[in-house]
């Protein structure tokens, strides 16, 4: 399957139910919204009532949390059928999920578990990606997950694994800069080394989010404001890359909508000068 980067459409927000009414009432300066795919598998009800109105005014992209593409369990075609039907109803600009596994046989995790970074994992993932994309009849963008453990079996770093996956398949990535920061703190590596190693042409989207810091480790909770270190990583990224679709992600402890919009404007401000210069180069 041929991969082409999605069009650059600016700065987006994760669409969450607590903000539905305010979005429709105020029509904020947001370039696009990202929905959680699984929340719309059943047509009808409150989510669809609001989404049908919001999608008339804003572009929509879809982001899944349950594909478990890295699992060694058989591909779940029942799940993929529901996803494909939802794609046909929403008509998103692009779709994404996580580079991880969350199920293995009868075991289902509520967490997104990292894969061991081995040649065997690469070969497995390349085959699974091909099967999934052929079924969906469209490219799938994959997000790097945060992690709290590593495998003794790993033969390469996470960033080397991603770069090699892109080299073999052309796969595009949703680069979550907070996830990189969380993993870097937990495993004590330089997050800039990760960011600098990912081929620029493979980055389709950026996620910015917050986390909870416990001193000895940090957890990717998405329930806090974006920290200064993640903002600095994003600012460094913007200086060295062409414009990339960038989104603020919040999944719990929801603040007033104005605070989310304020974070979105901070992202615009940090990137605007660098990306404006790029557009005029």
């Amino acid at each position: 399957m041929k991969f082409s980067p999605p069009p650059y459409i600016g700065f987006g927000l994760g669409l969450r139910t607590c903000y539905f009414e305010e979005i429709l009432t105020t029509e904020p300066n947001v370039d696009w919204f990202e929905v959680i795919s699984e929340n719309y598998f059943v047509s009808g009800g409150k989510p669809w009532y609001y989404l049908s109105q919001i999608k008339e005014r804003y572009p929509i992209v879809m982001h899944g949390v349950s594909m478990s593409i890295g699992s060694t369990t058989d591909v779940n075609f029942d799940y993929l059928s529901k996803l494909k039907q939802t794609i046909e109803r929403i008509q998103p600009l692009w779709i994404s999920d996580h580079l991880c596994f969350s199920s293995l046989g009868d075991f289902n995790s509520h967490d997104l578990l990292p894969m061991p970074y081995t040649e065997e994992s690469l070969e497995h993932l390349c085959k699974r990606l091909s099967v999934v994309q052929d079924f969906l009849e469209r490219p799938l963008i994959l997000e790097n997950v945060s992690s709290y453990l590593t495998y003794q079996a790993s033969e390469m770093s996470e960033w080397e694994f991603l770069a090699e996956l892109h080299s073999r398949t052309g796969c595009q990535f949703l680069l979550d800069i907070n996830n990189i920061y969380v993993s870097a703190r937990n495993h004590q590596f330089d997050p800039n080394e990760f960011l600098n190693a990912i081929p620029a042409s493979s980055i389709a989207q950026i996620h910015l989010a917050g986390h909870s810091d416990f001193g000895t480790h940090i957890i990717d909770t998405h329930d806090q404001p974006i920290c200064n270190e993640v903002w600095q990583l994003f600012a460094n990224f913007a200086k060295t890359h062409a414009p990339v679709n960038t989104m603020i992600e919040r999944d719990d402890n929801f603040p007033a909508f104005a605070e989310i919009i304020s974070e979105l404007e901070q992202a615009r401000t940090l990137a605007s000068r660098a990306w404006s210069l790029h557009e005029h180069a």
Side-chain angles (χ1 to χ4, degrees), residues 19 225 248 250 253-265:
Y19 300 130
I248 306 298
R250 188 70 170 252
N253 191 25
F254 295 103
F257 191 55
E259 291 185 33
I260 298 292
I261 293 296
S262 177
E263 286 196 321
L264 188 71
E265 290 306 316

Side-chain angles (χ1 to χ4, degrees), residues 4 39 54 68 71-72 78-79 86 103 110 124 130 142 151 158 177 181-182 191 216 228 230 276 280:
S4 298
N39 290 347
I54 292 170
S68 191
S71 175
T72 55
D78 179 55
Y79 171 86
T86 307
S103 62
H110 293 293
H124 174 68
S130 178
L142 291 177
Y151 298 94
E158 182 180 1
I177 293 181
Y181 179 75
V182 169
T216 57
N228 290 336
V230 170
S276 175
H280 293 90

Side-chain angles (χ1 to χ4, degrees), residues 19 50 63 108 129 139 144 158 179 191 201 210 218 229 233 244 258 267:
Y19 300 130
Y50 283 101
H63 183 54
N108 284 289
L129 187 59
N144 59 296
E158 182 180 1
N179 287 355
S201 60
I218 53 179
E229 291 84 355
L233 285 170
V244 177

Side-chain angles (χ1 to χ4, degrees), residues 51-66:
L51 178 59
S52 62
Q53 298 177 69
I54 292 170
K55 70 191 289 288
E56 290 177 357
R57 309 175 195 188
Y58 298 93
I60 301 293
V61 307
M62 288 172 56
H63 183 54
V65 296
S66 305

